[in-house]
Amino acid sequence: MDLVQKCGGRCHVIDNKYWNNPTDKYRSDQFQVEELLKTIDETVLANNGGCYTNEMLQAVETEVQQEEECVRQSSENMSEEEIRRQARDKTFENLAESKRIVILGKTGSGKTSLANTIFGEELFTIEHSINSQTKQCQTENKSVNGRKITLIDTPGFFDTDMSEGELKPEIVRCITECAPGPHAFLIVLKVEKFTEQEKAVIDKICEYFSEDALKYAVIVFTHGDMLPKGMKIEKFISQNKNLSDLMEKCGNRCHIFDNTYWKNDQQNNYRSNQFQVEELLKTIDQTVLANNGGCYTNEMLQAVEAEIQQEEECVRQSSENMSKKEIRWQAIRRTFKKLMIKLAGVTTGALLGAVFGVVVMVGIVATVLISSSVSLVNLHHVAKTTGTLAGGTAGAAGTSLTTLACVATATFAAAGAVKGGLIGYKAAKGADTVQEAIKRPAEAVYDEAQSVLVKANDVVKSLLQPKSKQCQNLK
Ligand SMILES: Nc1nc2c(ncn2[C@@H]2O[C@H](COP(=O)(O)OP(=O)(O)OP(=O)(O)O)[C@@H](O)[C@H]2O)c(=O)[nH]1
Ligand SMILES: [Mg+2]
């Protein structure tokens, strides 16, 4: 009775089995269907002609509309009905796909332990030594509380003492594993004083991924046991200005775990990993929807994704009966190898002196893989990014590379020899020759190079900029 009342007194009765051949009018499906349709008309009118909606449904609709636009652009003469159908299928695929989550943070903050906590088992390796450190990116997949999750654990990229030789493959691995981009970044911090050191790590994350990445970020605290009794993490955050600012930039998304002590607590308890995992997953769902169902991406990640898709095609053709998952897995591995081979000769350490050098190099190679025509752009990109991203410590090196790269650009442009390949590599490796080239009276060469550089500049600027969802579908 209460229920019918809450539903505005709207109710009908049907019998799917016996009322096809009615004995009286009321006990007839035909009559009841007609009555039901009238009721629906009245309900629509009573709601001013609108349909029920909420934020989540609207976000899904926006996603469908974006997909419609992509389908419309890629296929002529398709009926609106078919476009809508395909867009819906694609949206469903997007929403059901495994969510790629990259775990970032300072060395020792608890990234690997957090990955294990989220998966509820020790899938990620922790070195139990004094200098326990993750040296390799590790990716694992699992369904957690009904959601498909891909977790990518990383070394402490931003405060590492790893050598370039160790770091390069790990950055390449991280980029290939999360292409075309992560659905969420988990920024891991300990419940402790938020010092300049922590701030520097965050600044670096923003510097590389742009502040836009924070729209996809969740701050995750570990060592929850250090949180004063009765206090919630929001209160702890509010006590520090830098932390509060970061929290605001991350859309106030934060959670707290204790990977050691909160393992067996009740699900409904705030100080329980089980409870926090469910809350974290809900937050990630909401973040994905708030970002129109898409993941964070930029041109570099898209370039790598395009490469993976090409490899997928090759794997598909060469092997029958392989599952989609296996094809993807093999394509990622092939792309990783390909990038590593292309990067083999690129030495960034001496010249770039910072982790971002490697990332930029990956971007360059990825872009070169797709279009040889942008290779000139890439060279300038090395120059520009070195100066800005490598920052303080590598400042001087950055400047010298800038000079080096510009000169190399001039030389190669004049020679008309800039095709595919890695010019940055050639420039770096052939430093002596290039330095010599500076001395050459080459005005004509310089003019030509200048015009190329001006053009290149615009493209370069966009290389690491985040991309909108519309540009994301590379298939
Ligand atoms: N008490 C407590 N200890 C933790 C917690 N999380 C991690 N630890 C411990 O802190 C140490 C470092 O944890 P890891 O998970 O290896 O940290 P990480 O961020 O992966 O470290 P790197 O791989 O070196 O960057 C280990 O000894 C963990 O057992 C936590 O929530 N509470
Ligand atoms: Mg680790």
Side-chain angles (χ1 to χ4, degrees):
M1 188 72 181
D2 280 356
L3 176 65
V4 173
Q5 213 170 4
K6 277 186 189 156
C7 294
R10 292 179 292 272
C11 69
H12 294 278
V13 59
I14 302 269
D15 191 301
N16 297 313
K17 202 167 175 184
Y18 300 113
W19 289 1
N20 291 329
N21 301 311
T23 46
D24 66 75
K25 192 177 166 195
Y26 186 83
R27 285 170 162 69
S28 140
D29 285 343
Q30 220 186 334
F31 171 78
Q32 290 291 347
V33 165
E34 184 51 36
E35 291 300 296
L36 173 64
L37 294 177
K38 274 190 213 156
T39 303
I40 292 171
D41 284 346
E42 283 160 18
T43 313
V44 172
L45 275 175
N47 289 305
N48 299 327
C51 58
Y52 171 80
T53 192
N54 61 23
E55 243 172 70
M56 182 188 74
L57 287 164
Q58 283 176 9
V60 173
E61 175 58 18
T62 310
E63 169 85 2
V64 174
Q65 286 179 8
Q66 280 182 8
E67 290 297 347
E68 276 183 343
E69 210 35 54
C70 293
V71 177
R72 197 170 285 120
Q73 275 170 19
S74 66
S75 41
E76 280 170 16
N77 301 329
M78 196 181 273
S79 72
E80 280 303 306
E81 205 177 320
E82 181 58 17
I83 290 173
R84 181 82 185 165
R85 196 189 62 74
Q86 289 203 10
R88 278 196 181 137
D89 286 354
K90 186 77 189 111
T91 306
F92 176 74
E93 247 175 59
N94 289 348
L95 293 176
E97 83 175 317
S98 189
K99 300 287 172 290
R100 293 176 297 277
I101 300 166
V102 177
I103 307 180
L104 298 172
K106 206 172 105 172
T107 304
S109 54
K111 298 180 291 299
T112 307
S113 308
L114 174 71
N116 285 331
T117 297
I118 294 173
F119 276 174
E121 58 177 313
E122 306 267 309
L123 287 179
F124 292 85
T125 323
I126 300 182
E127 294 291 332
H128 288 288
S129 65
I130 300 174
N131 281 335
S132 99
Q133 258 198 27
T134 301
K135 295 270 185 200
Q136 291 196 334
C137 275
Q138 190 180 342
T139 303
E140 299 292 341
N141 299 288
K142 199 180 164 184
S143 275
V144 184
N145 301 1
R147 297 148 175 106
K148 283 197 267 176
I149 302 287
T150 299
L151 283 182
I152 303 157
D153 181 30
T154 62
F157 277 146
F158 305 97
D159 63 331
T160 187
D161 56 2
M162 283 163 73
S163 71
E164 186 194 322
E166 291 174 303
L167 208 51
K168 201 193 295 179
E170 296 323 310
I171 292 176
V172 177
R173 209 186 304 276
C174 179
I175 290 167
T176 45
E177 294 283 356
C178 78
H183 292 90
F185 297 94
L186 301 187
I187 300 178
V188 182
L189 297 171
K190 278 191 199 174
V191 176
E192 62 179 13
K193 214 164 161 228
F194 188 76
T195 64
E196 281 302 314
Q197 219 188 355
E198 275 77 24
K199 190 171 176 293
V201 169
I202 306 290
D203 287 347
K204 280 196 178 180
I205 294 175
C206 295
E207 206 174 356
Y208 169 52
F209 289 106
S210 84
E211 270 209 18
D212 239 58
L214 298 185
K215 287 189 195 149
Y216 299 76
V218 182
I219 309 175
V220 181
F221 286 86
T222 58
H223 293 253
D225 240 29
M226 304 295 286
L227 188 70
K229 244 193 172 152
M231 187 187 276
K232 293 222 165 149
I233 192 61
E234 285 81 357
K235 173 83 180 150
F236 175 82
I237 292 169
S238 71
Q239 292 169 347
N240 180 290
K241 171 86 174 71
N242 283 334
L243 208 46
S244 304
D245 288 350
L246 173 66
M247 171 82 163
E248 207 181 312
K249 284 182 188 161
C250 294
N252 295 317
R253 291 178 291 271
C254 71
H255 294 280
I256 180 161
F257 291 82
D258 192 297
N259 298 309
T260 304
Y261 301 115
W262 290 3
K263 286 183 178 169
N264 301 317
D265 275 329
Q266 297 296 307
Q267 179 154 19
N268 288 331
N269 185 352
Y270 182 80
R271 284 156 201 259
S272 133
N273 288 338
Q274 240 186 317
F275 170 80
Q276 292 289 346
V277 165
E278 180 54 29
E279 293 298 298
L280 172 65
L281 295 178
K282 277 189 209 155
T283 298
I284 292 170
D285 285 346
Q286 282 160 10
T287 312
V288 171
L289 276 172
N291 289 309
N292 297 328
C295 58
Y296 171 83
T297 192
N298 61 30
E299 209 157 304
M300 177 188 73
L301 285 161
Q302 289 186 2
V304 173
E305 173 62 15
E307 189 57 32
I308 295 174
Q309 289 185 9
Q310 275 182 22
E311 290 295 341
E312 278 184 336
E313 208 39 54
C314 297
V315 177
R316 200 172 288 119
Q317 277 170 18
S318 67
S319 40
E320 280 170 17
N321 299 331
M322 202 180 266
S323 72
K324 238 174 136 180
K325 203 169 149 188
E326 175 70 6
I327 291 173
R328 178 84 187 170
W329 189 84
Q330 292 224 6
I332 287 175
R333 249 116 225 103
R334 282 183 182 212
T335 307
F336 169 75
K337 265 196 201 157
K338 211 167 176 176
L339 285 172
M340 285 309 293
I341 291 167
K342 295 272 174 188
L343 278 166
V346 182
T347 313
T348 59
L351 289 166
L352 305 183
V355 91
F356 299 111
V358 186
V359 180
V360 170
M361 283 294 181
V362 178
I364 291 163
V365 177
T367 314
V368 168
L369 284 171
I370 287 173
S371 162
S372 60
S373 64
V374 279
S375 49
L376 258 181
V377 171
N378 295 332
L379 179 58
H380 186 56
H381 187 206
V382 180
K384 282 216 73 169
T385 331
T386 310
T388 49
L389 291 186
T393 50
T399 314
S400 68
L401 184 67
T402 308
T403 320
L404 200 63
C406 287
V407 175
T409 307
T411 314
F412 284 106
V418 187
K419 284 194 193 106
L422 204 56
I423 311 305
Y425 163 54
K426 285 186 187 164
K429 230 187 158 190
D432 288 340
T433 340
V434 174
Q435 291 292 6
E436 239 168 61
I438 302 174
K439 295 178 202 145
R440 274 203 270 153
E443 242 112 82
V445 171
Y446 183 79
D447 284 348
E448 194 175 337
Q450 279 304 305
S451 68
V452 174
L453 287 181
V454 169
K455 229 160 95 196
N457 207 12
D458 294 338
V459 187
V460 162
K461 269 190 207 149
S462 70
L463 194 63
L464 290 179
Q465 282 306 303
K467 287 281 152 188
S468 69
K469 182 68 175 54
Q470 283 95 320
C471 314
Q472 219 176 285
N473 300 301
L474 295 162
K475 272 184 186 163

